[in-house]
Coordinates of all heavy atoms in Angstrom, one line a residue:
Chain C
L1207 N 5.6 4.7 1.7 CA 5.4 3.3 1.5 C 5.3 2.5 2.8 O 4.6 1.5 2.9 CB 6.5 2.7 0.7 CG 6.6 3.3 -0.7 CD1 8.0 3.1 -1.3 CD2 5.6 2.7 -1.6
K1208 N 6.1 3.0 3.8 CA 6.1 2.2 5.1 C 6.5 3.1 6.3 O 7.1 4.2 6.1 CB 7.0 1.0 4.9 CG 8.5 1.3 4.7 CD 9.3 0.1 4.7 CE 10.8 0.3 4.3 NZ 11.5 1.3 5.2
P1209 N 6.2 2.6 7.5 CA 6.6 3.3 8.7 C 8.0 3.0 9.1 O 8.5 1.9 8.8 CB 5.6 2.8 9.7 CG 5.3 1.4 9.3 CD 5.4 1.3 7.8
A1210 N 8.6 3.8 9.9 CA 10.0 3.6 10.4 C 10.2 4.5 11.6 O 9.5 5.5 11.8 CB 11.0 3.8 9.4
S1211 N 11.2 4.2 12.4 CA 11.6 5.0 13.5 C 12.3 6.2 13.0 O 13.0 6.2 11.9 CB 12.5 4.3 14.5 OG 13.6 3.8 14.0
I1212 N 12.4 7.3 13.8 CA 12.9 8.6 13.2 C 14.4 8.5 12.8 O 14.9 9.1 11.9 CB 12.6 9.7 14.2 CG1 12.9 11.1 13.6 CG2 13.5 9.5 15.5 CD1 12.3 12.3 14.4
D1213 N 15.2 7.6 13.6 CA 16.6 7.5 13.3 C 16.9 6.6 12.1 O 18.0 6.7 11.6 CB 17.3 7.1 14.6 CG 16.7 5.8 15.2 OD1 15.5 5.5 15.0 OD2 17.5 5.1 15.8
T1214 N 16.0 5.7 11.8 CA 16.3 4.7 10.8 C 15.6 5.0 9.4 O 15.7 4.3 8.4 CB 16.1 3.3 11.2 OG1 14.6 3.1 11.4 CG2 16.8 2.9 12.4
A1215 N 14.6 5.9 9.5 CA 13.7 6.2 8.4 C 14.5 6.6 7.1 O 15.5 7.3 7.2 CB 12.6 7.2 8.8
E1216 N 13.9 6.2 6.0 CA 14.5 6.7 4.7 C 13.4 7.4 3.9 O 12.3 7.4 4.3 CB 14.9 5.4 3.9 CG 16.0 4.6 4.7 CD 16.2 3.2 4.1 OE1 15.6 2.9 3.0 OE2 17.0 2.5 4.7
A1217 N 13.8 7.9 2.7 CA 12.8 8.6 1.8 C 11.8 7.4 1.6 O 12.1 6.3 1.4 CB 13.5 9.0 0.6
G1218 N 10.5 7.9 1.6 CA 9.4 6.9 1.4 C 8.9 6.3 2.7 O 7.9 5.5 2.7
D1219 N 9.5 6.8 3.8 CA 9.0 6.3 5.1 C 8.2 7.4 5.8 O 8.6 8.6 5.7 CB 10.1 5.9 6.0 CG 10.9 4.6 5.5 OD1 10.3 4.0 4.6 OD2 11.9 4.3 6.1
V1220 N 7.3 7.1 6.6 CA 6.6 8.0 7.5 C 7.2 7.7 8.9 O 7.3 6.5 9.3 CB 5.1 7.9 7.5 CG1 4.6 6.4 7.7 CG2 4.5 8.8 8.6
T1221 N 7.5 8.7 9.7 CA 7.9 8.5 11.1 C 7.1 9.5 11.9 O 6.2 10.1 11.5 CB 9.4 8.6 11.2 OG1 9.8 8.2 12.5 CG2 9.9 10.1 11.0
F1222 N 7.5 9.5 13.3 CA 6.8 10.4 14.2 C 7.7 10.9 15.3 O 8.7 10.2 15.5 CB 5.5 9.8 14.7 CG 5.8 8.7 15.8 CD1 5.4 8.9 17.1 CD2 6.5 7.5 15.5 CE1 5.7 8.0 18.1 CE2 6.8 6.7 16.5 CZ 6.4 6.9 17.8
L1223 N 7.3 12.0 15.9 CA 8.0 12.5 17.0 C 7.0 12.7 18.1 O 6.1 13.6 18.1 CB 8.7 13.9 16.7 CG 9.4 14.5 17.9 CD1 10.8 13.8 18.1 CD2 9.7 15.9 17.6
S1224 N 7.2 12.0 19.2 CA 6.4 12.1 20.4 C 7.1 12.7 21.6 O 6.7 13.6 22.2 CB 5.6 10.7 20.6 OG 4.9 10.8 21.8
N1225 N 8.2 12.0 21.9 CA 9.1 12.4 23.0 C 10.0 13.5 22.5 O 10.8 13.3 21.6 CB 9.9 11.2 23.4 CG 10.7 11.4 24.7 OD1 11.1 12.6 25.0 ND2 11.0 10.4 25.4
M1226 N 9.9 14.7 23.1 CA 10.6 15.9 22.7 C 12.1 15.7 22.8 O 12.9 16.5 22.2 CB 10.1 17.2 23.4 CG 8.9 17.8 22.7 SD 9.0 18.2 21.0 CE 7.6 17.3 20.3
K1227 N 12.6 14.7 23.6 CA 14.0 14.6 23.6 C 14.7 14.2 22.3 O 15.9 14.3 22.1 CB 14.4 13.7 24.9 CG 14.6 12.2 24.6 CD 15.2 11.5 25.7 CE 15.1 9.9 25.5 NZ 15.5 9.1 26.6
Y1228 N 13.8 13.7 21.4 CA 14.4 13.3 20.1 C 14.2 14.4 19.1 O 14.5 14.2 17.9 CB 13.7 12.0 19.7 CG 14.0 10.8 20.6 CD1 12.9 10.1 21.3 CD2 15.3 10.3 20.7 CE1 13.2 9.1 22.1 CE2 15.5 9.3 21.6 CZ 14.5 8.6 22.3 OH 14.7 7.6 23.1
A1229 N 13.7 15.6 19.4 CA 13.4 16.6 18.5 C 14.6 17.0 17.6 O 14.5 17.2 16.4 CB 12.9 17.9 19.3
P1230 N 15.9 17.0 18.2 CA 17.0 17.2 17.3 C 17.1 16.4 16.1 O 17.6 16.7 15.1 CB 18.2 17.1 18.2 CG 17.7 17.3 19.7 CD 16.3 16.8 19.6
L1231 N 16.6 15.1 16.1 CA 16.7 14.2 15.0 C 15.8 14.7 13.9 O 16.0 14.3 12.7 CB 16.2 12.8 15.5 CG 17.1 12.1 16.4 CD1 16.4 10.8 17.0 CD2 18.5 11.8 15.8
L1232 N 14.9 15.7 14.1 CA 14.1 16.3 13.0 C 15.1 16.8 11.9 O 14.7 16.9 10.8 CB 13.1 17.3 13.5 CG 11.8 16.8 14.2 CD1 11.1 18.0 14.6 CD2 11.0 16.0 13.1
N1233 N 16.2 17.4 12.4 CA 17.1 18.1 11.5 C 17.9 17.2 10.6 O 18.5 17.5 9.6 CB 18.0 19.0 12.3 CG 17.3 20.0 13.1 OD1 16.4 20.6 12.6 ND2 17.7 20.2 14.4
T1234 N 17.9 15.9 11.0 CA 18.8 14.9 10.3 C 18.0 13.8 9.7 O 18.6 13.0 8.9 CB 19.8 14.3 11.2 OG1 19.2 13.8 12.4 CG2 20.8 15.4 11.7
T1235 N 16.7 13.6 10.1 CA 16.1 12.4 9.6 C 15.9 12.4 8.1 O 15.8 13.4 7.4 CB 14.6 12.4 10.2 OG1 14.0 11.1 9.8 CG2 13.7 13.5 9.8
K1236 N 15.9 11.2 7.5 CA 15.8 11.0 6.1 C 14.4 10.6 5.7 O 14.2 10.3 4.5 CB 16.8 10.0 5.6 CG 18.3 10.5 5.9 CD 19.3 9.7 5.0 CE 20.6 10.3 5.0 NZ 21.4 10.2 6.3
A1237 N 13.5 10.6 6.7 CA 12.1 10.3 6.4 C 11.4 11.1 5.4 O 11.9 12.3 5.1 CB 11.3 10.3 7.7
G1238 N 10.4 10.6 4.7 CA 9.7 11.4 3.7 C 8.8 12.3 4.5 O 8.5 13.5 4.0
V1239 N 8.2 11.9 5.6 CA 7.3 12.8 6.3 C 7.4 12.4 7.8 O 7.6 11.1 8.1 CB 5.9 12.8 5.8 CG1 5.3 11.4 6.0 CG2 5.0 13.8 6.4
C1240 N 7.2 13.4 8.7 CA 7.2 13.1 10.1 C 6.0 13.7 10.7 O 5.5 14.8 10.5 CB 8.4 13.7 10.8 SG 8.5 13.3 12.6
I1241 N 5.2 12.8 11.6 CA 4.1 13.2 12.3 C 4.4 13.9 13.6 O 5.2 13.2 14.4 CB 3.1 12.0 12.4 CG1 2.7 11.5 11.0 CG2 1.8 12.4 13.3 CD1 2.0 10.1 11.1
V1242 N 4.0 15.1 13.8 CA 4.4 15.8 15.1 C 3.2 16.4 15.8 O 2.1 16.5 15.1 CB 5.5 16.9 14.8 CG1 6.8 16.3 14.2 CG2 4.9 17.9 13.8
S1243 N 3.4 16.9 17.0 CA 2.3 17.6 17.7 C 2.0 19.0 17.1 O 2.9 19.7 16.7 CB 2.7 17.7 19.1 OG 1.8 18.6 19.8
D1244 N 0.8 19.4 17.0 CA 0.4 20.6 16.5 C 0.6 21.7 17.5 O 0.3 23.0 17.2 CB -1.0 20.6 16.0 CG -2.0 20.3 17.0 OD1 -1.7 20.2 18.2 OD2 -3.2 20.0 16.6
T1245 N 1.1 21.4 18.7 CA 1.3 22.5 19.8 C 2.7 22.9 19.7 O 3.0 23.9 20.4 CB 1.0 21.9 21.2 OG1 1.8 20.8 21.4 CG2 -0.5 21.5 21.3
N1246 N 3.6 22.3 19.0 CA 4.9 22.7 18.9 C 5.2 23.4 17.6 O 4.7 23.0 16.5 CB 5.9 21.5 19.1 CG 5.8 20.9 20.5 OD1 5.1 20.0 20.6 ND2 6.4 21.5 21.5
D1247 N 6.1 24.4 17.6 CA 6.4 25.1 16.4 C 7.8 24.5 15.9 O 8.8 25.1 16.1 CB 6.6 26.6 16.7 CG 6.5 27.4 15.4 OD1 5.9 26.9 14.4 OD2 7.0 28.5 15.4
L1248 N 7.6 23.3 15.2 CA 8.9 22.7 14.9 C 9.2 22.8 13.4 O 8.3 22.9 12.5 CB 8.7 21.1 15.1 CG 8.4 20.8 16.5 CD1 7.7 19.4 16.6 CD2 9.7 20.7 17.3
T1249 N 10.4 22.8 13.1 CA 10.8 22.7 11.7 C 11.7 21.5 11.5 O 12.2 20.9 12.5 CB 11.7 23.9 11.2 OG1 12.9 24.0 12.1 CG2 10.9 25.2 11.3
A1250 N 11.7 21.0 10.2 CA 12.4 19.7 10.1 C 13.1 19.6 8.7 O 12.8 20.5 7.8 CB 11.4 18.6 10.2
N1251 N 13.8 18.6 8.5 CA 14.5 18.1 7.2 C 13.5 17.6 6.2 O 13.9 17.1 5.2 CB 15.6 17.2 7.7 CG 16.7 17.1 6.6 OD1 17.0 18.1 6.0 ND2 17.3 15.9 6.6
C1252 N 12.2 17.4 6.7 CA 11.3 16.7 5.8 C 9.9 17.3 6.0 O 9.7 18.2 6.9 CB 11.2 15.2 6.2 SG 10.6 15.0 7.9
A1253 N 8.9 16.9 5.3 CA 7.5 17.4 5.4 C 7.1 17.0 6.8 O 7.5 15.9 7.4 CB 6.7 16.7 4.3
L1254 N 6.2 17.8 7.4 CA 5.6 17.5 8.7 C 4.1 17.4 8.5 O 3.4 18.1 7.7 CB 5.9 18.6 9.7 CG 7.4 18.8 10.1 CD1 7.5 20.1 11.0 CD2 7.9 17.6 10.7
I1255 N 3.5 16.4 9.3 CA 2.0 16.4 9.5 C 1.8 16.7 10.9 O 2.2 16.0 11.8 CB 1.4 15.0 9.0 CG1 1.7 14.7 7.6 CG2 -0.1 15.1 9.3 CD1 1.3 13.3 7.1
K1256 N 1.0 17.8 11.1 CA 0.7 18.2 12.5 C -0.6 17.7 13.0 O -1.7 17.9 12.3 CB 0.8 19.7 12.7 CG 2.2 20.2 12.2 CD 2.4 21.7 12.7 CE 3.9 21.9 12.7 NZ 4.3 23.3 13.3
V1257 N -0.6 17.0 14.1 CA -1.9 16.4 14.6 C -1.9 16.7 16.1 O -0.9 17.1 16.7 CB -1.9 14.9 14.4 CG1 -2.1 14.6 12.9 CG2 -0.8 14.2 15.0
K1258 N -3.0 16.4 16.8 CA -3.1 16.6 18.2 C -2.3 15.6 19.0 O -1.7 15.9 20.0 CB -4.6 16.4 18.6 CG -5.0 17.3 19.8 CD -6.6 17.2 20.0 CE -6.9 17.5 21.4 NZ -8.3 17.3 21.7
N1259 N -2.4 14.3 18.5 CA -1.7 13.2 19.3 C -0.9 12.4 18.3 O -1.3 11.6 17.5 CB -2.8 12.3 19.9 CG -2.3 11.1 20.6 OD1 -1.1 10.8 20.5 ND2 -3.1 10.5 21.5
P1260 N 0.5 12.7 18.2 CA 1.4 12.1 17.2 C 1.4 10.6 17.4 O 1.5 9.9 16.3 CB 2.7 12.7 17.5 CG 2.5 13.9 18.4 CD 1.2 13.7 19.1
D1261 N 1.3 10.0 18.5 CA 1.3 8.6 18.7 C 0.1 8.0 17.9 O 0.2 7.0 17.2 CB 1.2 8.2 20.1 CG 2.4 8.4 20.9 OD1 3.5 7.8 20.5 OD2 2.5 9.2 21.9
L1262 N -1.1 8.6 18.2 CA -2.3 8.1 17.6 C -2.2 8.4 16.0 O -2.6 7.4 15.3 CB -3.5 8.9 18.1 CG -4.8 8.5 17.6 CD1 -5.1 7.0 17.8 CD2 -6.0 9.4 18.3
G1263 N -1.7 9.5 15.6 CA -1.6 9.8 14.2 C -0.7 8.8 13.5 O -1.1 8.3 12.4
F1264 N 0.4 8.4 14.2 CA 1.3 7.5 13.5 C 0.6 6.1 13.5 O 0.8 5.3 12.5 CB 2.6 7.5 14.3 CG 3.6 6.6 13.8 CD1 4.2 6.8 12.5 CD2 4.0 5.4 14.4 CE1 5.2 6.0 12.0 CE2 5.0 4.5 13.8 CZ 5.6 4.9 12.6
T1265 N 0.0 5.7 14.5 CA -0.7 4.5 14.6 C -1.7 4.3 13.4 O -1.9 3.3 12.7 CB -1.5 4.3 16.0 OG1 -0.4 4.1 16.9 CG2 -2.3 3.0 16.0
L1266 N -2.5 5.4 13.2 CA -3.5 5.4 12.1 C -2.7 5.3 10.7 O -3.2 4.6 9.8 CB -4.4 6.7 12.1 CG -5.2 6.8 13.4 CD1 -5.9 8.2 13.4 CD2 -6.2 5.7 13.4
A1267 N -1.6 6.0 10.6 CA -0.7 5.9 9.4 C -0.3 4.5 9.2 O -0.4 4.0 8.0 CB 0.4 6.9 9.5
V1268 N 0.2 3.9 10.2 CA 0.7 2.5 10.1 C -0.4 1.5 9.6 O -0.2 0.8 8.7 CB 1.4 2.0 11.4 CG1 1.7 0.5 11.2 CG2 2.6 2.8 11.7
S1269 N -1.6 1.7 10.2 CA -2.7 0.9 9.9 C -3.1 1.0 8.4 O -3.5 0.1 7.7 CB -3.8 1.1 10.8 OG -3.5 0.9 12.1
A1270 N -2.9 2.3 7.9 CA -3.3 2.6 6.5 C -2.2 2.0 5.5 O -2.6 1.5 4.4 CB -3.4 4.1 6.3
L1271 N -1.0 1.9 6.0 CA 0.1 1.5 5.1 C 0.5 0.0 5.0 O 0.8 -0.5 4.1 CB 1.4 2.3 5.4 CG 1.4 3.8 5.1 CD1 2.5 4.4 5.8 CD2 1.5 4.0 3.6
V1272 N 0.3 -0.6 6.2 CA 0.7 -2.0 6.3 C -0.4 -3.0 6.4 O -1.4 -2.7 7.1 CB 1.6 -2.1 7.7 CG1 2.0 -3.5 7.9 CG2 2.7 -1.1 7.7
P1273 N -0.3 -4.0 5.6 CA -1.5 -5.0 5.6 C -1.6 -5.6 6.9 O -0.7 -5.7 7.7 CB -1.1 -5.9 4.5 CG 0.4 -5.9 4.4 CD 0.8 -4.5 4.8
L1274 N -2.8 -6.1 7.2 CA -3.1 -6.9 8.4 C -2.2 -8.1 8.4 O -1.8 -8.6 7.4 CB -4.6 -7.3 8.4 CG -5.6 -6.3 8.7 CD1 -7.0 -6.8 8.6 CD2 -5.3 -5.7 10.2
P1275 N -1.9 -8.7 9.6 CA -1.1 -9.9 9.6 C -1.8 -11.0 8.8 O -3.0 -11.1 8.8 CB -1.0 -10.3 11.1 CG -1.8 -9.3 11.8 CD -2.2 -8.2 10.9
P1276 N -1.0 -11.9 8.2 CA -1.6 -12.9 7.4 C -2.5 -13.8 8.3 O -2.3 -14.1 9.4 CB -0.5 -13.7 6.8 CG 0.7 -13.3 7.6 CD 0.4 -11.9 8.2
R1277 N -3.6 -14.3 7.6 CA -4.5 -15.2 8.3 C -4.6 -16.5 7.6 O -4.2 -16.6 6.4 CB -5.9 -14.5 8.3 CG -5.9 -13.3 9.2 CD -7.1 -12.5 8.9 NE -7.1 -11.4 10.0 CZ -8.2 -10.8 10.4 NH1 -9.4 -11.0 9.9 NH2 -8.1 -9.9 11.4
P1278 N -5.1 -17.5 8.2 CA -5.4 -18.8 7.5 C -6.4 -18.5 6.3 O -7.1 -17.5 6.4 CB -6.0 -19.7 8.5 CG -5.9 -19.0 9.9 CD -5.7 -17.5 9.6
D1279 N -6.3 -19.4 5.4 CA -7.3 -19.3 4.2 C -8.7 -19.2 4.9 O -9.0 -19.9 5.8 CB -7.2 -20.4 3.3 CG -5.8 -20.4 2.5 OD1 -5.2 -19.3 2.4 OD2 -5.4 -21.5 2.1
S1280 N -9.6 -18.4 4.3 CA -10.9 -18.3 4.8 C -11.7 -19.5 4.8 O -11.4 -20.4 3.9 CB -11.7 -17.1 4.3 OG -11.8 -17.3 2.9

Side-chain angles (χ1 to χ4, degrees):
Chain C
L1207 299 159
K1208 63 177 174 58
S1211 60
I1212 193 164
D1213 54 333
T1214 65
E1216 301 168 5
D1219 291 350
V1220 54
T1221 189
F1222 75 114
L1223 177 75
S1224 172
N1225 185 334
M1226 278 302 130
K1227 92 172 171 189
Y1228 297 115
L1231 292 174
L1232 280 178
N1233 300 317
T1234 55
T1235 184
K1236 297 201 170 65
V1239 65
C1240 183
I1241 298 167
V1242 297
S1243 166
D1244 58 12
T1245 59
N1246 296 96
D1247 198 23
L1248 298 159
T1249 57
N1251 204 28
C1252 64
L1254 295 176
I1255 300 174
K1256 300 198 163 188
V1257 295
K1258 209 170 155 186
N1259 180 341
D1261 286 301
L1262 181 59
F1264 184 67
T1265 291
L1266 297 174
V1268 173
S1269 300
L1271 290 167
V1272 179
L1274 285 175
R1277 296 171 165 199
D1279 293 339
S1280 60

